[in-house]
Amino acid sequence: MRWTFAYAACALADIEHRELQSPAVWKATFSVEDLTGQKAGEFTIDVHPEWAPLGAARFKELVEAKYFDQSCFFRAVPNFVAQFGLAADPKVTAQWRDKDLKDDPVKTSNTAGRLTFATAGPNTRTTQMFLNFVDNSFLDNQGFAPFGEVSAGMDIVSAIYTGYGEKPSQGQITAQGKTYLDKNFPQLSCIKAVSLDIV
């Protein structure tokens, strides 16, 4: 009987320990087309819920909804960031437009390869996010909280087309979707699909 109680106590302690541990890291793989110098490639993001739990949960929600499929890196600035998160279909963008998230505290830095939500001010994160091409740690004290980082394929991230810089209009993308980009910025790198790998 003592052994049974001791075993039960150990099992309970193990459960409590696992519950107190940080959420498990999971992966998202981006298939990208129209890269500089090559047709296509993939990169993988390790998502760290403990860094920014609300941001990580929203990203998972968007990937599961296939929100990013066929969308483009519409703001890609050399030695700065590659921004994406406006859907290929403007009707889909509209569905998420008012789903603002509260800010996560910044727990880690915007170094090269880290993935972070874009904002329009406090508590305004919705669907747009950016990959840091370089160390942009100056963004940390502005409230930009990374939630993931590139674990494979940084060469693919570096090949995202940057020739248009900030020329594409976010207003026009919101209104017309990928149709506007295909017509006016045909060389943009775009996301074919994003897949999840959650253990």
Side-chain angles (χ1 to χ4, degrees):
M1 187 66 70
R2 290 178 187 174
W3 181 87
T4 303
F5 285 142
Y7 179 83
C10 289
L12 179 60
D14 181 62
I15 291 170
E16 290 175 346
H17 174 70
R18 282 186 278 115
E19 287 178 346
L20 290 171
Q21 287 181 317
S22 298
V25 174
W26 51 273
K27 298 178 183 291
T29 298
F30 285 69
S31 298
V32 184
E33 300 176 311
D34 300 318
L35 296 159
T36 301
Q38 59 192 99
K39 291 184 178 181
E42 292 185 347
F43 64 87
T44 298
I45 298 289
D46 281 2
V47 178
H48 292 261
E50 75 277 13
W51 290 358
L54 297 177
R58 171 58 60 86
F59 177 65
K60 180 174 181 285
E61 188 179 8
L62 290 166
V63 173
E64 289 178 335
K66 301 187 181 301
Y67 177 90
F68 299 114
D69 293 9
Q70 304 305 315
S71 67
C72 299
F73 294 94
F74 59 83
R75 178 177 178 248
V77 182
N79 299 310
F80 187 35
V81 300
Q83 188 166 329
F84 64 102
L86 292 173
D89 183 345
K91 293 179 181 178
V92 175
T93 298
Q95 292 171 2
W96 292 83
R97 189 170 186 174
D98 296 323
K99 297 183 179 182
D100 291 347
L101 280 181
K102 291 183 179 180
D103 292 334
D104 283 303
V106 179
K107 295 182 179 179
T108 191
S109 190
N110 282 276
T111 52
R114 292 218 165 135
L115 180 60
T116 306
F117 271 90
T119 75
N123 303 311
T124 58
R125 297 180 300 171
T126 53
T127 63
Q128 292 193 48
M129 54 196 70
F130 59 86
L131 285 158
N132 289 288
F133 281 137
V134 296
D135 185 343
N136 292 318
S137 54
F138 70 91
L139 296 173
D140 300 349
N141 61 12
Q142 298 178 38
F144 292 97
F147 63 89
E149 63 183 342
V150 176
S151 59
M154 192 62 193
D155 58 322
I156 300 301
V157 172
S158 298
I160 291 171
Y161 185 74
T162 60
Y164 298 124
E166 302 189 63
K167 291 180 181 179
S169 165
Q170 293 189 34
Q172 291 299 316
I173 305 169
T174 300
Q176 301 180 44
K178 195 169 183 289
T179 299
Y180 161 76
L181 294 174
D182 287 344
K183 180 179 179 181
N184 297 281
F185 305 98
Q187 291 180 267
L188 282 178
S189 299
C190 297
I191 300 164
K192 183 179 181 180
V194 186
S195 60
L196 295 181
D197 182 8
I198 301 177
V199 178

